[in-house]
Amino acid sequence: MSTSSPVIDPILSAEAIAARKPGPFSLAGKSIVTPILLTLILLAIAIVTVMIGSKPFNQVIIDLFVRVILVVGLYVFIGNSGVMSFGQIGFTCLGAYVAAWLTINPMMKKMSLPGLPDFILKAKMEYWQAALLAALFAGVAALFFGRVLMRLSGIAASIATFAMLAMINTIYSNWDRVTGATSSVVGIPIVRSIWPYFTVAAIVIFIAWLHAISRAGLALRAARDEPTAAAASGIDIPKERLVAFVISGAIMGVGGALTAHSIGVVTPDNFYLSLTFVTLSMLVVGGMGSLTGSVLGVVILSALIQGLRFLEAGVPVGGSMLALPKGLQEIALGIIMIVILALRPSGLFGNRELTLNRNRSE
Amino acid sequence: MSYLSAEDVSVAFAGLKALSSVNLKITPGHISGLIGPNGAGKTTLVNVLTGFQAPTSGAVTLDGQPLTNLKPHQVRRRGIARTFQGGRLFRDLPVIDNLEVTGVGLGMSRRAAIAEAEAMLDWIGIAPLKNRIAGTLPYTDERRVAIGRALMGRPAYILLDEPAAGMSAPEASDLSDLVRRIAKSLGIGVLIIEHNVGLVLGLCDHIVVLDSGAVIEEGDPAAIRDSEKVRHAYMGTAADTVRANLEVMA
Ligand SMILES: Nc1ncnc2c1ncn2[C@@H]1O[C@H](COP(=O)(O)OP(=O)(O)OP(=O)(O)O)[C@@H](O)[C@H]1O
Ligand SMILES: [Mg+2]
């Protein structure tokens, strides 16, 4: 951008500015310490799990890492843009089915999913190759949907994202020969080691952090807080939203692939309202505007859920078993969430991040 | 000669005519004033010039090229910047980041944006505010940060919506000096909306008076000061303060 008249004032001349040694970027309150600390917390959880060596507990922690991936994916879009999306789990569905398509034994696939194109029917990939392609596929789908959705804002945008979720669910629930419709697609190789899940969760945390401190993340958060001024500052709001939507979609997709490998079966309803509700709750309880909040929200709520499940199954007290009535888990969880949000409407962490320096905030 | 102009711009809001065939032209290095009573349509005109409001009829042109269909961020990237009546800073961000975000919005790298932001704060004389959180600033400083933000990337034109509102006389006079420097030493074309008519008469090269959406008078400060129509338009609104202002200048 140049003016038609020459700049006379020397301190604002291009040379004077170029010669300056600018201060470091402030990172808008986002220090690299945050993703490092969060990764260390997850690493500690992983090490303890391996040391305990219990199979069911191992599975619980794998679920936890998958949730971390999904909720961080939500944070990238929802947290930075401030636009509530009910549709991101749709990308998880897409990713999970990509993993199923590419990793199930070709013999089985011919029988259960005969409508798949030939090159997919013949494919037999490693889970990590499939997971990368799942991220790619979900990211491209997010680009496709996002081009339309990002023009909307407010309630209209949120409703449209919900419509997208419903649409994906309907297609996958009915496209018998490609997705097996509502019946379970089985035979997905199960990955029982905790390390792949930990590694992807850590990578995703760093990607979210890099996006948050990038020009795109900075512009998007400015637009979230003051959209009119952001537009008057040259920020193309729909474009910045789309960037975050695509990154989020890819993360949700890889999360879907890992979900598929953690349980070995998929159905469209695994990736619908209930998962949407659980992951959004974790994001909101942790604090939408905070990467720390999205990771620790998962850890805290998952611990609560496990605790309640444990009580529901029954604890021996004296000679008898004391058990909570079935269904109380959901009710108790709902109450706990409402209480947390009543006390801290912007979630446990609000906009703050975990750092070594106590007073950092955005 | 380059210029930014509104040509026969009209805006209607559900029957209310906010602007009726308004013509206005600003040129680099010159300060134009836009005055008029509350609800006259001043902000609406700035909204039209910056892509926030589509005109019902008429056009906005930059050096003869139509701008009317551009979105606000595209208008900004063509070198037309504005401030807002309410400040509208990014309240949770430090002052330096407020300017940096705008640099980034204009396509600069973060490093280049910070270098320019720092130079800009120095130039305006608010370098010590650099790390203050914008939402905690007093009124006067908030206005100057908003101006600094609008000056990022050195626009060709800047439109200031009531930058001196609520300022004391010495503060308003500092602001006048800043606006003069923006026009005279950066060569930027300025449009300033201001209720303090004294300030406008002392500062502007050319003044346009809006009333009920129509231009009722325009000319240099002397012509505006002597205009019966202008005195009349202000009667019944903020008549006393305006008359006092006009008399101070006379
Ligand atoms: N978005 C809108 N929808 C409906 N009416 C509007 C809208 N924006 C402005 N108006 C009306 O248009 C008229 C002009 O408003 P505008 O804000 O441009 O006045 P102004 O000259 O800037 O006033 P002030 O000095 O109070 O800032 C007013 O009657 C206002 O109520
Ligand atoms: Mg106004």
Side-chain angles (χ1 to χ4, degrees), chain B residues 13 16 18 37-44 85 162 195:
Chain B
F13 294 116
L16 172 90
N38 288 111
K42 305 180 295 293
T43 298
T44 303
Q85 224 165 326
E162 302 196 18
H195 280 295

Side-chain angles (χ1 to χ4, degrees), chain A residues 101-138:
Chain A
W101 292 336
L102 297 177
T103 60
I104 295 177
N105 188 317
M107 303 290 290
M108 275 176 82
K109 257 190 286 189
K110 265 203 189 76
M111 283 160 32
S112 56
L113 306 171
L116 284 172
D118 209 43
F119 71 99
I120 295 180
L121 272 180
K122 287 195 184 122
K124 176 78 183 86
M125 290 188 187
E126 291 299 321
Y127 75 89
W128 59 269
Q129 295 170 318
L132 280 177
L133 288 173
L136 186 69
F137 184 73

